[in-house]
Amino acid sequence: MTAIVTRRTLLIGGGSLLLAGCDRISSAPAVRNTLSLGEKASRSAQRWLMTDRQALAPEFTRAEMSPIFRVNGSTRPDAAEYVRYATNSFADWRLSVDGLVANPLSLSLADLRAAPQRTQITRHDCVEGWSAIGEWTGVPLGLLLRRANLSSRARYIVFHCADTLLGKPYYESIDLVDAFHPQTILAHTMNRAPLSIGHGAPLRLRVERQLGYKQAKYVMRIEAVESLNPIHGGKGGFWEDNHDYQWYAGI
Ligand SMILES: Nc1nc2c(c(=O)[nH]1)N[C@H]1C(S)=C(S)[C@@H](COP(=O)(O)O)O[C@H]1N2
Ligand SMILES: [Mo]
C-alpha cells in the first residue's frame, strides 16, 4: 500500500497550484485590492487548506529533492542501550507502543517493514532557518494506534527518544488529529535507504504539517496519554520545556 498523494490531486478543480508564501503577499493592501475574482477564490481555497488540520503538506517529485539533507540536534546518541542496538544493526531493537491502549505492541524493524507503508517526498523546515526536501518511507502512525486499540481516554501521543540534549531526554508529542493524519508516519527509510544514525535510526517520526523539532528521531517508545502535564517538564516536548518553543509548530 504505497500511496503518494499530492496536493495537486487534492486541488483538482480548485484551480490553484500556488500555495507557498501567499499570506505574506496578500497582507499588503495594494496587492489585496488588485486581486481578481479568480484570485480571490483561490486565496480562500488556500486559506481553507492552511487552516484545515486534515489538509496535506505539499509533496514533491524526486527531481526536486535536496542533494544534501543536513543533520541537526543529536546525531549519534551515546546511551548504552542505544549503542548496543546500533552495534547489532538494530536487530534486537523493539518499538514499544503502550500507555492508554488495550493491546500494547512490541515491534521489531521487520514487523514495521512488513506493515503497510507510505512513501512521501516532503520539505523539512527547521526553525533555525534551513529546509530540505527528502523522501520518507514508513508505517502510518494511525495504523499502529488502531492495532494497539487506542483507548477513548487518549488525547496525545508521546514519542520517547533514545537521546538526551543538555542532559535531558528528547521527547515530543502530538494530538490525535496529527496522529491519524495520512502523512504522519514512522519512517525507517530515507531517500530509499535505511535511516542513518544521523537522521534518527532506526525509526523517526514524520509529522509533515509541523516544524523540524517535532520530527522526533531515535523513537524507542510511543505512549498514549490523557494529559502531557506529568511528562518531563509538562509542555509536551524537549524544546517546549527547555526553550519556550510552541507545542503546535504548524508550518
Ligand atoms: N531525538 C531527537 N529528535 C530530533 C532532534 C534531536 O536532537 N533529537 N532534533 C530535531 C530538530 S531541531 C530537527 S531540525 C530535526 C533534524 O532532523 P535531521 O537530523 O534528520 O535533519 O530533528 C528533530 N528531531
Ligand atoms: Mo530544527
Side-chain angles (χ1 to χ4, degrees), residues 97-106 144-154 157 222-225:
V97 183
D98 56 39
L100 294 175
V101 298
N103 178 35
L105 307 173
S106 170
L144 294 187
L145 296 176
R146 272 187 210 101
R147 279 193 190 168
N149 200 355
L150 192 65
S151 155
S152 59
R153 277 169 52 219
I157 306 300
I222 295 177
E223 183 189 14
V225 300

Side-chain angles (χ1 to χ4, degrees), residues 172 213-214 235-242 244-247:
E172 257 306 337
Y213 61 90
K214 302 295 291 189
K235 293 186 182 159
F238 171 85
W239 288 107
E240 292 88 327
D241 284 346
N242 297 298
D244 263 2
Y245 282 18
Q246 293 294 305
W247 174 77

Side-chain angles (χ1 to χ4, degrees), residues 55-77:
L56 297 173
E59 294 193 16
F60 300 84
T61 63
R62 286 203 171 128
E64 293 170 296
M65 284 169 56
S66 304
I68 293 171
F69 196 124
R70 54 170 285 190
V71 293
N72 203 33
S74 297
T75 53
R76 185 166 279 271

Side-chain angles (χ1 to χ4, degrees), residues 9-56:
T9 327
L10 199 71
L11 278 175
I12 282 176
S16 167
L17 293 172
L18 259 178
L19 286 158
C22 317
D23 254 8
R24 237 166 302 150
I25 296 166
S26 60
S27 61
V31 177
R32 195 168 52 230
N33 294 337
T34 58
L35 286 179
S36 71
L37 204 63
E39 283 165 333
K40 274 183 191 148
S42 74
R43 224 163 44 110
S44 64
Q46 288 154 19
R47 215 167 282 293
W48 175 81
L49 278 168
M50 283 187 254
T51 52
D52 179 5
R53 300 270 321 275
Q54 321 273 354
L56 297 173

Side-chain angles (χ1 to χ4, degrees), residues 72 126-128 212-213:
N72 203 33
C126 173
V127 272
E128 290 165 25
Y213 61 90

Side-chain angles (χ1 to χ4, degrees), residues 122-227:
T122 53
R123 196 188 61 220
H124 175 107
D125 294 316
C126 173
V127 272
E128 290 165 25
W130 59 273
S131 298
I133 296 176
E135 179 176 328
W136 305 97
T137 299
V139 186
L141 175 62
L143 188 141
L144 294 187
L145 296 176
R146 272 187 210 101
R147 279 193 190 168
N149 200 355
L150 192 65
S151 155
S152 59
R153 277 169 52 219
R155 290 285 172 274
Y156 304 98
I157 306 300
V158 182
F159 303 87
H160 297 282
C161 306
D163 60 316
T164 56
L165 271 186
L166 314 167
K168 296 182 183 173
Y170 202 97
Y171 79 105
E172 257 306 337
S173 63
I174 58 177
D175 66 12
L176 296 189
V177 178
D178 270 340
F180 286 96
H181 186 284
Q183 289 169 320
T184 299
I185 64 173
L186 291 162
H188 49 69
T189 295
M190 176 190 185
N191 298 349
R192 286 177 279 168
L195 200 55
S196 66
I197 289 184
H199 287 295
L203 196 72
R204 81 173 304 165
L205 175 66
R206 293 302 310 173
V207 49
E208 305 292 358
R209 302 285 312 275
Q210 297 204 51
L211 289 171
Y213 61 90
K214 302 295 291 189
Q215 323 294 324
K217 306 196 279 189
Y218 319 111
V219 175
M220 306 293 280
R221 175 181 175 216
I222 295 177
E223 183 189 14
V225 300
E226 194 168 4
S227 164

